[in-house]
Amino acid sequence: MVLPDSMEVKYLFKTLEVLVDEATFKLTPQELSLRAMDPSRVAMIDLVIPRTNCEDYVCPEEMKFCFSLERYLEKTLKNITKNDAVRLDIQTGKIDKMNTRLTSKLTRNFSMPLLEAAYEEIPTPKIAFNYSVKLVLENVNTLFKDLEDHVRIIGTQDGLTFEQTGDIESFTSTLKRGDETVLNIEAKENAKATYAVSYLKEVLKALSSLTDIIEISYTTDMPVRVSAELEHFGTVSVYVAPRIETD
């Protein structure tokens, strides 16, 4: 298969690497997909690339393949350019391999052995999201630079508040409906929940190379979904479990 937009390929894999290293993809005649949990099982990433988004897509039957994202980024994609066409081929045999051809003014061929595919069938989270907000990602990343540990996110019809409180120090910032950061709010009811900053901060930072806009969806004390519509690869979503606070 030939993947569109070489730099988006690189940044997409960097985003996936935030949560998983040894990634097991599922390839079917209809799509290429990845749904995987991070090692602590606090966060999950969900990606589906329809065959219509790729050129020369050939897959007679379903297969699964696993490789190290870190190794692939360090070796194969390290010197990729925006003019490169990226072709991926899975080779099965005595040694299963993933072959990558980068073609522009030069043609460069890379081959790396596949890892044993430890595939886990992870169901799509069945969550009725009561609150969704579309935000300008650059401004959200600026806000997250001031956050650490855990953050309480409070969503209302008027906006989204990020809050940290302690015995001595506290932080709060509200993104109000109608300002330049908040593009849209859909609220069936107000929502509030607490999440680990580290997961959200890393994911948001990685997504900034792929998109300008994200959508945050959640329900009180339920997992949050951070999703982005990519120009060439459909939608990528990350789910982060809440921290359940007790009185």
Side-chain angles (χ1 to χ4, degrees), residues 109-243:
N109 295 296
F110 300 84
S111 180
M112 65 183 296
L114 295 174
L115 305 175
E116 184 175 351
Y119 186 78
E120 178 184 3
E121 196 70 48
I122 302 172
T124 303
K126 294 181 179 179
I127 305 170
F129 294 113
N130 290 328
Y131 190 92
S132 294
V133 56
K134 286 188 177 181
L135 302 169
V136 175
L137 180 52
E138 180 182 3
N139 298 340
V140 178
N141 274 325
T142 298
L143 186 156
F144 264 81
K145 291 178 182 179
D146 294 317
L147 297 174
E148 56 187 24
D149 197 18
H150 291 83
V151 60
R152 187 137 179 96
I153 304 178
I154 304 168
T156 70
Q157 293 282 354
D158 297 324
L160 194 66
T161 297
F162 297 82
E163 179 182 273
Q164 287 184 326
T165 57
D167 295 334
I168 301 176
E169 298 179 343
S170 64
F171 170 88
T172 183
S173 178
T174 298
L175 307 178
K176 297 180 180 179
R177 181 192 287 271
D179 71 14
E180 63 180 23
T181 301
V182 179
L183 303 179
N184 186 54
I185 294 176
E186 294 184 7
K188 296 178 182 177
E189 61 183 48
N190 295 345
K192 55 184 178 180
T194 300
Y195 303 98
V197 169
S198 57
Y199 288 96
L200 293 173
K201 182 180 288 188
E202 289 300 312
V203 167
L204 293 170
K205 181 179 178 181
L207 284 173
S208 64
S209 298
L210 289 167
T211 184
D212 297 325
I213 298 170
I214 57 160
E215 183 173 41
I216 293 177
S217 304
Y218 74 119
T219 294
T220 295
D221 292 336
M222 295 292 286
V224 63
R225 182 184 68 191
V226 179
S227 57
E229 296 287 340
L230 307 185
E231 183 175 357
H232 298 101
F233 293 115
T235 302
V236 60
S237 299
V238 175
Y239 297 80
V240 178
R243 177 188 182 187

Side-chain angles (χ1 to χ4, degrees), residues 9 13 67-78 86-88 98-102 110 112:
V9 171
F13 282 178
F67 63 96
S68 168
L69 289 168
E70 180 181 15
R71 183 76 174 170
Y72 193 67
L73 286 163
E74 286 180 352
K75 297 297 182 181
T76 304
L77 300 185
K78 180 179 180 181
V86 184
R87 182 183 182 89
L88 301 181
M98 182 168 70
N99 300 318
T100 304
R101 174 176 293 179
L102 305 181
F110 300 84
M112 65 183 296

Side-chain angles (χ1 to χ4, degrees), residues 55-71:
E55 298 176 14
D56 198 15
Y57 186 106
V58 179
C59 177
E61 58 184 13
E62 179 180 313
M63 68 178 300
K64 301 174 181 69
F65 62 96
C66 178
F67 63 96
S68 168
L69 289 168
E70 180 181 15
R71 183 76 174 170

